[in-house]
Structure formats: C-alpha cells, structure tokens
Amino acid sequence: MASKPDETRDGVDLTNLDQPLFDGADATKRDLVDYLDAVHERILLELRERPLSVIRIRPGQPKFMQKNVPKYTPDWVKTVPVWAEASKREVSYALCDDRRTLLWFANQRAVEYHPTLMRADHWDRITHLVLDLDPPEGDETFAKAVQAAFLVRQALADAGLSGAVKTSGAKGVHVFVPIDESVSIEDAAAATRAIAARAERIDPDVATTAYIKEDRGGKVFVDSTRSGGATVVAAYSPRVRPGTPVSFPVGWDDLDRVTPRDFTVRTAVEQLGDADRWADQLPAPQSLPEDLLEEGRAIPIARVIAMHEGKRRKRAKEKAEKED
C-alpha cells in the first residue's frame, strides 16, 4: 500500500519532502520543490519543447544522469523519441512543457535540468551559440572565468554580436548568443569555434581553446563544443553541488561582483523578485557574419583533434617505455 503523500500540487503527489536533498545540500527535498515551483514560469521557457536530460540523486546514492524516461513515467508526460547513434538505440526523452511535469521531476529528485539547444520540432537548427567557460582548479576560479567571459563579450562585440551571461551554478560561466533560423548546425558550431579562438587571441594569458586539460596551463578553457545535440544546464536550474546553487542570470555589469554561492535554492527566488532576468537579458536572435563563419570552418573540431592527439601521445609513451 502506497504511503500517503505529504502534499499534492497540480495533481502531482509529493513525498518525503522533509528529507535532506543530498549530503552537503543544505536543503531538503521540499526546498527543491518549492524553488522549482516558484520559478516554474521562468525555467519552463528554457525547457519547453526541448528534449530533456536530468541529473537525479537518490538518498545515499551517487548522482546519475537520466535521458530515457523510466517505465513508470505518467502518460501525461510528453516524450519524444531520439535515435542515439552512440548506443544504437532509440531514447525516449521527456519534454518538460508544463508545471505538472516539472513538479513530477522534482518529486523524482531531479535536481539539474539539461535541455538540448534544439527544439523537438526543428532538429536541423539550434537556437543559441554557447560558450562554456571552464576555469582551472584552485582559488579564485570563478574570478578567472569572469575575466574570460569579458573576452568573449569583446569578441562578440567585434563581430557585431551580443550575448547574455549566467553563472553555471558550478565554478564557471555560460555565455548564450541567440541566433536566427538561417544558421545551420554546422555553421553554428563553426561560429562558436571562431568566437572562442578570437577570445583567446584577445588575451592568451587568460583564455585557451586547448581541449586537453594538461595543455591549458592554468588558463580558462573556452569550450566551443556545446553545439548540435549537446545539452547545457538551463538558466535557473539547481546543481548537485554543496549548498545547492542555481545557474543564475547575471547582468554583465554585475558579473565581477558575484560568486556562484550567492544564488541557491533557498536564496535565489528572493533575489529575482518578479523579474525574469534571463528573458530580459537575452538579445533577439541574430544572423552571423560571413567572416566569422569562414574562420570557424577552418578550425578543426576540438574533440576530434584531442582524440587523435591522445592516441598519438599514448603511442609515443608506449614506444618510449619499450625502448627503456
């Protein structure tokens, strides 16, 4: 016999609300549900019509990413089938299009929300370029990511483009650049590579496009690989991190005055007030200049280069060991 729910909202039974969310969360499951419900109109704008991956965490277990919806998913949760080339199977992704679905995910202890950059009805286009700024380990990592974000902003401005910025909710920063439907997936990826390269050229002491971690030399990695079928954590999404921070929209003028710890599931709603900071900051979709596309098309894809370089280094190491 099923236990009685603690509460029901929008037809969704909510259970175990007073349990700790995870070790170090400084939040309960109720805090997660209340936060997501409070921001549901804002976060649903980022999730709606996009195949969704979530990161869940069950009590006493490690976090895990869920793409394929479980068999017990209610029939009112919208799904879309997507062929996964890597695993050679069809994956049934959820479309989190309404408050009811979001509450159901929250009750499943889905903490993080990672939508695709493409919409389910438009597989051949992405809606944003994304520059993911990943700082090195150590002190002042976020401050370094902020420095790199300003380099990306300058590279965009030099190309006649603009973007919005948010904390990743972890240690980094995301810059989103809305683009119009004239841009193919291949050209969007090329443009992202070119912007990253231009940001690196502005100040190579701060930023790097080196995909292999040991080649970065303590610099901020300007990750240009978030394109095509990639996902990026949504604005307003919580993260499975100590204190349960959220990915929070920050104005460019305030970026160097904040830290990711300033915005958590327990503090972010009050700071937002009635505003939808992300929607307010995002510029209108933009077309991309041809010189940016040409430059990007000539830049090899970082993952491919890294894979070949990794194999080359492995062979060289094995050869050296044999010679020894």
Side-chain angles (χ1 to χ4, degrees):
M1 184 174 170
S3 59
K4 185 179 177 183
D6 296 345
E7 192 181 327
T8 300
R9 298 188 202 178
D10 208 359
V12 178
D13 289 343
L14 304 171
T15 57
N16 302 312
L17 291 178
D18 295 322
Q19 284 185 354
L21 191 54
F22 54 87
D23 288 345
D26 192 26
T28 62
K29 184 177 170 183
R30 184 185 300 277
D31 291 324
L32 174 70
V33 171
D34 286 347
Y35 167 76
L36 287 169
D37 202 10
V39 300
H40 77 265
E41 291 182 355
R42 285 167 276 210
I43 196 170
L44 286 174
L45 289 176
E46 310 311 309
L47 305 181
R48 196 170 281 130
E49 299 174 11
R50 298 178 188 271
L52 179 65
S53 301
V54 294
I55 292 181
R56 296 173 56 192
I57 187 159
R58 296 187 179 116
Q61 297 183 24
K63 65 182 181 181
F64 64 98
M65 177 166 273
Q66 175 183 291
K67 299 182 178 184
N68 215 14
V69 294
K71 290 179 180 177
Y72 55 80
T73 302
D75 57 11
W76 44 260
V77 173
K78 289 171 64 177
T79 60
V80 60
V82 180
W83 179 255
E85 189 60 38
S87 56
K88 303 294 183 187
R89 67 186 181 116
E90 197 170 75
V91 175
S92 185
Y93 282 87
L95 299 177
C96 190
D97 287 359
D98 52 38
R99 176 187 180 224
R100 191 182 186 191
T101 303
L102 184 65
L103 287 169
W104 179 79
F105 269 117
N107 193 56
Q108 297 294 308
R109 292 178 176 266
V111 179
E112 300 191 10
Y113 295 78
H114 295 249
T116 60
L117 293 171
M118 56 183 68
R119 298 187 189 279
D121 61 351
H122 214 153
W123 293 111
D124 62 341
R125 293 290 185 270
I126 63 171
T127 54
H128 303 78
L129 309 182
V130 176
L131 284 303
D132 180 3
L133 306 173
D134 184 15
E137 300 293 337
D139 297 331
E140 302 300 320
T141 58
F142 184 74
K144 290 182 178 179
V146 168
Q147 282 184 280
F150 285 125
L151 299 181
V152 170
R153 187 191 192 192
Q154 183 61 53
L156 289 170
D158 291 346
L161 299 169
S162 59
V165 65
K166 66 183 180 71
T167 67
S168 71
K171 59 180 182 175
V173 173
H174 294 153
V175 179
F176 274 57
V177 184
I179 56 173
D180 64 30
E181 291 188 352
S182 68
V183 185
S184 70
I185 283 180
E186 293 76 19
D187 276 351
T192 310
R193 294 194 295 272
I195 292 163
R198 292 181 180 191
E200 180 182 33
R201 287 202 298 270
I202 293 170
D203 194 341
D205 291 334
V206 171
T208 179
T209 56
Y211 191 81
I212 299 173
K213 191 171 281 190
E214 54 263 36
D215 293 348
R216 295 176 192 169
K219 302 172 187 177
V220 177
F221 175 43
V222 185
D223 186 354
S224 62
T225 63
R226 302 297 184 96
S227 193
T231 64
V232 183
V233 72
Y236 305 114
S237 172
R239 304 300 303 268
V240 183
R241 297 287 193 282
T244 323
V246 305
S247 180
F248 199 83
V250 183
W252 285 106
D253 293 344
D254 296 323
L255 187 59
D256 56 2
R257 302 180 197 150
V258 302
T259 73
R261 297 183 299 278
D262 294 340
F263 315 108
T264 73
V265 291
R266 299 178 68 174
T267 66
V269 173
E270 185 178 347
Q271 296 183 68
L272 282 169
D274 295 328
D276 184 344
R277 292 195 181 191
W278 193 233
D280 292 345
Q281 288 173 201
L282 282 169
Q286 301 153 93
S287 57
L288 300 178
E290 188 58 35
D291 67 309
L292 188 74
L293 296 175
E294 284 184 17
E295 180 179 342
R297 289 172 190 141
I299 298 172
I301 297 171
R303 275 200 184 99
V304 176
I305 295 298
M307 181 180 68
H308 290 307
E309 177 61 14
K311 288 179 179 177
R312 187 195 66 77
R313 292 184 188 187
K314 184 180 178 182
R315 287 194 300 269
K317 183 180 178 183
E318 289 171 348
K319 183 180 178 183
E321 287 172 350
K322 284 179 183 177
E323 290 174 351
D324 286 346

